[in-house]
Amino acid sequence: MKDLKTIRGMPDLYAEEMNRISFVEDVCTEIFRSFNFQEFRTPILENKSLFERSAGDTSDIVQKEVYEFEDRKGDLLCLRPEGTAGIVRALVTNGLDNDEIKKYFYIGPMFRYERPQKGRKRQFYQAGAELIGDPSSNADIEVIQVANLILEKLNVKAELQINYIGCADTLEKYREYLRNFLKDFKDTVDEKLYFRLQRNPIRALDSKDENIKKILKDVKKIKEFFNKEQKEKFQDIQKKLLDAGVDFKINENLVRGLDYYTGTVFEYISNELGAQNAILGGGRYDNLIENLGGKKLPATGFALGIDRLSEIINEPKQSGGLFIGSLDAGSKSFAQKIAYQLRKNSSNLKIETYLGNANLSKQMKKADSQSFKFVMIVGQEEQKSLKFKLKDLELNKSFELSEKELLEYFSG
Ligand code: HAM
């Protein structure tokens, strides 16, 4: 059995942890739907080239973190490291890249070959929203509102940080400026890091390397490369956020780790998670659809880390449901019959018909420890009389009901 183990960074999920994850997913689905986002599922496997063309072949994700392999035909595939590229690929391959505004959401596993630590896994779960086809800042505000409401519902305190990184042209000019700026420090920077930053200089801005942080103290900010229209757009989004009552902080070093972003970018940061403090990230990607062969359509969106959020929420302990215990082996089938009728009447009602051999007091303890609200024990007598004693464990009250009354009590 020694070899029977999970892959590093890909733990099994069960018990309390699984409950918290489900709870986060349920809240996300509820809020996505309340904004009329439609669910979209794309495959977990994609061609690796999709991510080279979207996340960028100099991004950390593509350089170091993709799980890739050749299939039996020799095609180079990978496990998706994120969800946006797949949605955009799907828009193009299904001819959905038309002018109509579209709002999609997804929930599912993503894979990144990173060093596992608290809040960082190799298989992790994201919930994401993508709003396609609206260039205005109202679209950015809408996705930020979705994010805000999810965090509010989960009772998570996090700081919204935003930045504006201009268009592809501005970004290219800024990259060139940074490359030249860094050249003066070539001898003082670790060689590997230096060459990585020459390929993708923007990442210097959010580098955790102390030396790079010191070097960049006097570097020009991207906003100094903005034209008038870009300055106004950044002002506009700030004003709209204030009007919408959304708190935020501008972080001029926020550049995000994926190459497809332009314009507004944002992250939510929690101080309860240690180093992996980003619980949600997103922004605009106005060129990605066109770059992947579709129409030129603006888009914005975000994804949140379900695993990370599940580590910092307190899932409300909700009692509910009915536990039907039995006094003897022969009453188990009777309990199942009653439970089946109850379930037909009310599909939302959780019912456990106890199958084990524990005695009455142990059955009561089980019902209580699993947070059942109601408990009912059946035996020979109940089978004969068709009268049931229902106990409300929350109110600590019991009442007697006929079969009809029982069905009525739990109907709807
Ligand atoms: P991202 O910032 O790479 O963005 O990931 C979004 C969130 O996924 C992060 O804020 C974090 O909470 C979670 N996450 C990332 N890596 C890990 C990991 N190894 N373990 C646990 N959680 C992790 C994107 O993926 C973009 N596709 C978001 C987006 C959608 N932008 C526009 N639309």
Side-chain angles (χ1 to χ4, degrees):
M1 282 305 220
K2 215 172 101 218
D3 293 327
L4 216 53
K5 56 181 188 193
T6 54
I7 312 293
R8 193 160 123 83
M10 301 189 180
D12 295 316
L13 302 171
Y14 55 96
E16 281 304 305
E17 188 182 9
M18 189 60 237
N19 289 345
R20 287 198 306 273
I21 285 181
S22 283
F23 179 66
V24 174
E25 291 182 353
D26 289 348
V27 168
C28 290
T29 307
E30 183 192 321
I31 303 295
F32 289 146
R33 291 201 192 281
S34 79
F35 280 80
N36 199 27
F37 279 69
Q38 312 287 317
E39 186 168 9
F40 207 121
R41 288 195 197 179
T42 62
I44 285 167
L45 287 181
E46 296 274 4
N47 285 308
K48 188 188 173 198
S49 56
L50 172 65
F51 299 99
E52 288 165 342
R53 292 172 62 190
S54 54
D57 51 11
T58 60
S59 65
D60 278 359
I61 288 187
V62 170
Q63 282 282 314
K64 306 187 289 198
E65 296 169 8
V66 172
Y67 274 90
E68 61 183 77
F69 63 95
E70 282 185 9
D71 71 3
R72 285 167 190 270
K73 247 180 74 191
D75 289 339
L76 186 56
L77 308 183
C78 74
L79 293 171
R80 60 182 187 190
E82 59 105 39
T84 310
I87 294 270
V88 171
R89 197 262 318 127
L91 286 178
V92 179
T93 45
N94 295 294
L96 296 167
D97 54 332
N98 50 43
D99 291 335
E100 220 174 285
I101 292 176
K102 300 197 174 57
K103 306 200 291 189
Y104 294 124
F105 79 87
Y106 51 90
I107 292 179
M110 308 291 161
F111 303 82
R112 295 184 192 175
Y113 193 84
E114 295 185 89
R115 197 168 48 78
Q117 61 182 85
K118 184 175 159 59
R120 190 157 74 191
K121 292 178 179 169
R122 290 182 171 175
Q123 173 168 339
F124 59 100
Y125 293 79
Q126 279 189 348
E130 313 290 355
L131 200 164
I132 294 123
D134 185 354
S136 79
S137 53
N138 295 73
D140 302 286
I141 297 293
E142 177 155 336
V143 294
I144 288 174
Q145 280 185 330
V146 174
N148 237 30
L149 209 53
I150 289 174
L151 298 180
E152 232 172 74
K153 273 254 163 164
L154 292 172
N155 216 355
V156 165
K157 303 268 167 295
E159 181 176 72
L160 167 61
Q161 301 189 350
I162 67 162
N163 195 17
Y164 191 84
I165 56 174
C167 64
D169 227 29
T170 313
L171 275 163
E172 203 34 58
K173 282 188 191 128
Y174 190 51
R175 280 195 194 99
E176 213 32 56
Y177 160 75
L178 283 175
R179 267 188 205 107
N180 283 325
F181 182 90
L182 288 167
K183 273 185 190 151
D184 290 345
F185 300 91
K186 184 168 186 231
D187 298 337
T188 66
V189 178
D190 170 76
E191 201 179 316
K192 261 194 182 159
L193 179 61
Y194 179 79
F195 283 107
R196 204 164 349 116
L197 291 179
Q198 281 299 319
R199 278 205 310 271
N200 192 357
I202 295 273
R203 291 319 302 271
L205 294 189
D206 59 6
S207 171
K208 298 211 160 76
D209 185 279
E210 288 305 324
N211 187 27
I212 296 290
K213 281 190 195 164
K214 220 164 62 203
I215 290 172
L216 292 191
K217 256 179 68 189
D218 299 321
V219 79
K220 280 190 193 170
K221 300 292 181 195
I222 194 163
K223 67 176 181 196
E224 292 172 58
F225 291 72
F226 290 169
N227 59 28
K228 188 164 165 278
E229 191 193 345
Q230 290 169 336
K231 281 182 196 151
E232 282 169 8
K233 278 198 168 159
F234 193 23
Q235 290 299 328
D236 177 51
I237 180 102
Q238 291 176 51
K239 186 179 170 302
K240 284 191 172 141
L241 281 173
L242 286 172
D243 287 349
V246 175
D247 287 337
F248 65 92
K249 188 181 133 189
I250 293 170
N251 175 358
E252 291 177 330
N253 290 330
L254 179 65
V255 285
R256 310 275 299 129
L258 300 143
D259 283 2
Y260 49 64
Y261 291 109
T262 51
T264 304
V265 289
F266 57 91
E267 271 180 6
Y268 281 77
I269 305 296
S270 158
N271 54 20
E272 288 179 56
L273 266 167
Q276 301 310 312
N277 57 4
I279 49 175
L280 183 154
R284 257 196 186 277
Y285 48 97
D286 287 348
N287 301 320
L288 183 59
I289 302 169
E290 189 184 28
N291 287 347
L292 289 179
K295 266 182 97 172
K296 177 148 184 60
L297 291 174
T300 179
F302 72 81
L304 58 80
I306 292 172
D307 314 67
R308 282 190 196 171
L309 274 171
S310 76
E311 285 193 33
I312 55 174
I313 58 153
N314 291 313
E315 186 212 350
K317 247 206 155 5
Q318 280 164 339
S319 78
L322 168 65
F323 181 98
I324 308 183
S326 41
L327 285 179
D328 51 78
S331 302
K332 287 193 174 59
S333 306
F334 179 64
Q336 284 179 316
K337 203 170 121 192
I338 298 277
Y340 193 72
Q341 275 175 297
L342 284 165
R343 290 189 186 106
K344 272 210 284 197
N345 253 19
S346 164
S347 52
N348 288 331
L349 181 67
K350 174 180 78 172
I351 308 176
E352 168 74 25
T353 45
Y354 178 68
L355 292 176
N357 297 317
N359 64 25
L360 183 59
S361 91
K362 283 205 177 125
Q363 288 188 45
M364 292 300 279
K365 275 198 193 121
K366 268 187 202 303
D368 195 34
S369 71
Q370 292 181 25
S371 303
F372 279 93
K373 179 169 161 59
F374 296 99
V375 68
M376 190 172 100
I377 307 290
V378 297
Q380 299 299 324
E381 210 181 299
E382 283 75 13
Q383 288 189 57
K384 264 193 249 137
S385 67
L386 291 180
K387 290 227 162 22
F388 303 93
K389 202 165 123 197
L390 185 70
K391 180 162 187 189
D392 184 326
L393 294 177
E394 258 174 34
L395 304 177
N396 200 18
K397 263 193 183 153
S398 297
F399 32 106
E400 205 177 72
L401 300 170
S402 68
E403 189 182 11
K404 189 163 165 267
E405 285 165 340
L406 184 71
L407 288 172
E408 267 167 20
Y409 191 84
F410 287 112
S411 71

